[in-house]
């Protein structure tokens, strides 16, 4: 039976609880999990936390996420070596950290930017416009843009920190999550958000640069916050699942 979890790495706790149910046979292969909304209510956590937990389970091979259909328990074949360590931050935790740091970085960059910095951003935007259908290249160029903005401040520690945050997005766990929500149109939207950041920095407007970076990160979170599935009504969930949820 699902139960509310305590605050630690919530998404890992949720994954542990669901994995235990699967391994004990209470959630047999082929079973369909309740909708994210239902799972979040059962576990007493947010839907993004459930989404992060489900990605862990899919990378491990315990569930199969079928967009527009639902999440199904699978017969796990082999252990996965692609999981992040126990203390690895989830994508929403990273986005919150980025909002704190990168908004301040953009604000300061607008005060310090020189023509050569603007030229670097322009070159990056040109390359990204040609890479919208290549997810891996677009991701690398996305990282480069944020490092360019950070580099304007000329602080090696800060630049290394920004780079390391973005490097975390290139792990198998993040790649699996991104594969559901990133496409040509989402990368196009991200590029235009980068352009707004570039324009504010080029204009030497710290407030506008901070606001443009915040808008970009807010939109990034919204893109990752799409549900994995169409929301079924309660009646569409088999009675066995409702019993697992304590209903």
């Amino acid at each position: 039976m699902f139960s509310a979890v305590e605050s630690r790495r919530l998404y890992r706790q949720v994954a542990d609880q669901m994995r235990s149910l699967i391994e004990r046979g209470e959630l047999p292969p082929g079973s369909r999990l309740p909708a994210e909304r239902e799972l979040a209510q059962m576990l007493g956590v947010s839907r993004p936390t459930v989404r992060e937990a489900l990605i862990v389970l899919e990378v491990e091979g315990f569930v199969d996420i079928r967009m527009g259909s639902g999440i199904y328990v699978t017969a796990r074949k082999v252990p996965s070596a692609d999981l992040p360590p126990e203390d690895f931050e989830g994508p929403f935790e990273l986005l919150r950290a980025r909002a704190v740091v990168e908004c301040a970085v953009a604000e300061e960059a607008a005060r310090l930017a020189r023509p050569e910095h603007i030229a670097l951003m322009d070159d990056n935007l040109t390359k990204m416009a040609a890479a919208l259908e290549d997810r891996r290249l677009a991701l690398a160029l996305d990282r480069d843009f944020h490092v360019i903005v950070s580099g304007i401040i000329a602080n090696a520690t800060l630049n290394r920190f920004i780079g390391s945050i973005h490097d975390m997005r290139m792990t198998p766990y993040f790649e699996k999550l991104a594969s559901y929500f990133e496409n040509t149109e989402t990368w196009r939207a991200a590029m235009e958000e980068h352009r707004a950041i570039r324009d504010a920095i080029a204009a030497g407007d710290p407030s506008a640069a901070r606001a443009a970076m915040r808008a970009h990160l807010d939109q990034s979170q919204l893109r990752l916050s799409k549900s994995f599935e169409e929301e079924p009504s309660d009646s569409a969930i088999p009675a066995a699942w409702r019993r697992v949820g304590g209903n």
Side-chain angles (χ1 to χ4, degrees):
M1 181 180 296
F2 289 124
S3 61
V5 297
E6 299 175 358
S7 179
R8 182 172 53 96
R9 276 275 186 261
L10 281 178
Y11 81 101
R12 299 303 291 258
Q13 289 190 73
V14 170
D16 289 347
Q17 191 172 145
M18 297 174 71
R19 185 190 306 106
S20 177
L21 290 171
I22 294 171
E23 290 178 331
R24 294 201 308 263
E26 295 184 40
L27 306 181
S31 299
R32 182 182 185 278
L33 271 67
E36 284 180 11
R37 172 176 52 83
E38 303 284 343
L39 288 171
Q41 290 173 351
M42 292 173 186
L43 293 158
V45 298
S46 68
R47 288 177 64 174
T49 296
V50 169
R51 191 169 301 118
E52 291 173 336
L54 290 170
I55 287 294
V56 168
L57 294 175
E58 186 176 39
V59 172
E60 287 183 329
F62 283 105
V63 302
D64 178 25
I65 299 171
R66 304 175 194 170
M67 292 296 285
S69 174
I71 298 94
Y72 298 82
V73 177
T74 60
R76 190 183 188 212
K77 295 180 178 60
V78 294
S80 173
D82 293 335
L83 281 178
E86 181 67 26
D87 61 350
F88 195 80
E89 296 88 350
F92 295 96
E93 191 171 358
L94 280 181
L95 280 169
R96 288 192 293 272
R98 290 181 61 194
V100 172
V101 177
E102 293 197 61
C103 290
V105 166
E107 182 177 2
E108 186 66 10
R111 296 188 178 100
L112 301 173
R114 300 190 301 271
E116 58 265 33
H117 298 132
I118 309 307
L120 286 173
M121 287 189 284
D122 288 343
D123 181 62
N124 176 275
L125 288 167
T126 297
K127 290 177 179 176
M128 193 164 185
L132 298 179
E133 296 183 6
D134 184 335
R135 195 189 71 80
R136 286 182 178 271
L137 180 55
L139 179 61
L141 289 167
D142 179 85
R143 178 194 186 279
D144 288 348
F145 179 86
H146 288 273
V147 171
I148 289 168
V149 172
S150 174
I152 294 171
I153 301 176
N155 183 298
T157 300
L158 183 60
N159 223 40
R160 186 166 57 250
F161 178 70
I162 295 297
S164 67
I165 287 179
H166 285 270
D167 287 342
M168 293 170 118
R169 299 167 61 206
M170 299 181 181
T171 63
Y173 171 80
F174 277 84
E175 287 192 356
K176 177 63 72 173
L177 177 63
S179 70
Y180 291 108
F181 307 116
E182 290 177 359
N183 53 52
T184 301
E185 292 310 309
T186 62
W187 280 118
R188 191 185 310 281
M191 180 186 68
E192 293 306 322
E193 291 155 18
H194 284 184
R195 196 179 304 281
I197 295 167
R198 175 267 180 213
D199 290 346
I201 292 174
D205 189 333
S207 295
R210 184 183 188 95
M213 181 65 78
R214 184 56 191 250
H216 170 49
L217 295 175
D218 285 348
Q219 288 302 311
S220 295
Q221 179 156 334
L222 286 174
R223 285 189 280 271
L224 286 179
S225 293
K226 287 179 61 180
S227 176
F228 283 134
E229 59 186 327
E230 298 173 356
E231 290 292 337
S233 64
D234 288 348
S235 61
I237 300 172
W241 284 111
R242 293 200 293 274
R243 286 198 297 273
V244 169
N247 295 323

